[in-house]
Amino acid sequence: MDFVSDMIGDRMVVTVQSARIDAAAALQFKDGMRIATEGASARVLLDLSQVDFIDSSGLGAIVGVMKYLAPERQLDLAGLRPNVERVFRLTRMDTVFVIHATREEALRDHAH
Amino acid sequence: MRTDMSDRSPTSAPPMPPDIRLSFPASPLAVRRALASALEGLAHLDLTADEQGVVELVLAEALNNVIEHAYGSQHRGWVELACRHLSDGLHVEIRDEGRPLPDGPLPIAPDRVNPAALETLPEGGFGWFLIRDLARDAAYHRTDEANHLTFRIAVGLPLRMH
């Protein structure tokens, strides 16, 4: 599982460059995110626009990363594709995260 | 033991070969490959992208439960997946020889999340919840030292009525 992280303004943007965050990838995802967000600023944006599928293990891993970063750092999400959005919606996790339609929108909103 | 989760009894399937029959070792990577094979095997149904996503998610959750709970990390075993499409949707049967489910109703996920209570947010346990939400007629039997889970996913219906 590959990640790219960039500092854009005061925000760290982490892009997952894999199509799946499933049970086979959940542990790798958590480990990779810990490394990618080392020394991160107060706001971290997770860009999921390349992810086509997550299961409840993948969801659990994202929640785990959010809890690991808290309370100093907040994890926001962007670019949820339909299969990913469905899992967040059905589990009500869409009420827990700040979710932006796209990474561009997230960065624009934050620029003010 | 037999536990029905729904008020509707499972539709009995006619004796014809299933659209899909897969047998694979109980590992997350094997599940990933099985999901890809299953979706390939259902291509002739012309499911919508949304329906394909639902099928993949429900199958993933049910199979992950077998890997994690029936077998666990200590045990090696095999999982069998059979799917047959009928007029009321996709009928799924999953068989394994791992530990039985605990007695009582099928385990359902934790309560709906409380966004305010970050510390107590669950990181797991959503699998059964998603199955319950997206599948119908889920039933579990333990026979001959094997677990049989059956359910139906209302996809590929003639009138697209769910």
Side-chain angles (χ1 to χ4, degrees):
Chain A
M1 172 163 286
D2 291 321
F3 298 87
V4 172
S5 51
D6 302 301
M7 284 303 296
I8 299 179
D10 61 349
R11 188 183 279 225
M12 174 175 270
V13 181
V14 181
T15 307
V16 180
Q17 295 191 312
S18 298
R20 302 175 76 86
I21 309 177
D22 58 11
L27 207 59
Q28 248 188 319
F29 172 81
K30 276 173 96 163
D31 290 346
M33 281 298 289
R34 282 184 193 201
I35 294 165
T37 58
E38 222 160 83
S41 52
R43 300 290 293 271
V44 178
L45 181 67
L46 181 62
D47 181 347
L48 293 172
S49 58
Q50 294 179 41
V51 178
D52 181 51
F53 179 82
I54 69 166
D55 58 16
S56 62
S57 303
L59 175 71
I62 294 172
V63 173
V65 170
M66 184 260 271
K67 287 164 77 170
Y68 161 79
L69 290 171
E72 291 85 11
R73 293 157 297 176
Q74 180 180 327
L75 183 70
D76 297 339
L77 309 177
L80 274 59
R81 290 164 70 170
N83 287 339
V84 178
E85 189 273 335
R86 176 186 298 111
V87 173
F88 277 83
R89 177 167 40 83
L90 292 176
T91 58
R92 302 294 184 271
M93 280 294 174
D94 57 351
T95 63
V96 172
F97 289 90
V98 175
I99 300 177
H100 301 273
T102 62
R103 148 206 195 109
E104 290 71 26
E105 187 196 289
L107 295 170
R108 195 170 55 234
D109 289 353
H110 190 56
H112 300 292
Chain B
M1 186 187 75
R2 177 194 173 91
T3 310
D4 271 316
M5 281 209 320
S6 75
D7 50 359
R8 300 172 59 175
S9 53
T11 313
S12 55
M16 48 193 272
D19 294 309
I20 294 167
R21 186 181 290 283
L22 298 170
S23 182
F24 48 93
S27 83
L29 276 174
V31 167
R32 190 190 275 182
R33 284 191 293 268
L35 292 172
S37 305
L39 286 175
E40 209 172 296
L42 297 174
H44 65 283
L45 297 177
D46 285 329
L47 300 180
T48 65
D50 202 52
E51 289 177 326
Q52 286 183 42
V54 167
V55 169
E56 182 165 18
L57 181 58
V58 178
L59 293 182
E61 297 302 341
L63 295 171
N64 287 344
N65 274 327
V66 171
I67 309 300
E68 288 165 28
H69 301 297
Y71 288 117
S73 54
Q74 315 302 322
H75 297 86
R76 297 244 163 254
W78 288 82
V79 186
E80 287 171 30
L81 168 69
C83 302
R84 176 182 295 135
H85 189 258
L86 298 174
S87 59
D88 61 349
L90 187 68
H91 290 248
V92 178
E93 181 179 358
I94 294 171
R95 185 180 176 282
D96 68 78
E97 294 178 354
R99 288 186 292 268
L101 279 178
D103 279 342
L106 288 176
I108 304 301
D111 293 337
R112 301 270 182 178
V113 300
N114 175 4
L118 185 61
E119 286 307 310
T120 62
L121 272 183
E123 292 176 40
F126 290 116
W128 277 112
F129 179 76
L130 291 168
I131 294 169
R132 165 112 197 178
D133 230 32
L134 297 170
R136 304 284 175 268
D137 307 335
Y140 167 75
H141 325 253
R142 175 81 181 179
T143 45
D144 302 330
E145 303 290 300
N147 297 314
H148 299 260
L149 177 70
T150 55
F151 52 86
R152 173 173 66 89
I153 311 172
V155 294
L157 307 185
L159 297 171
R160 299 265 179 232
M161 284 172 61
H162 291 228

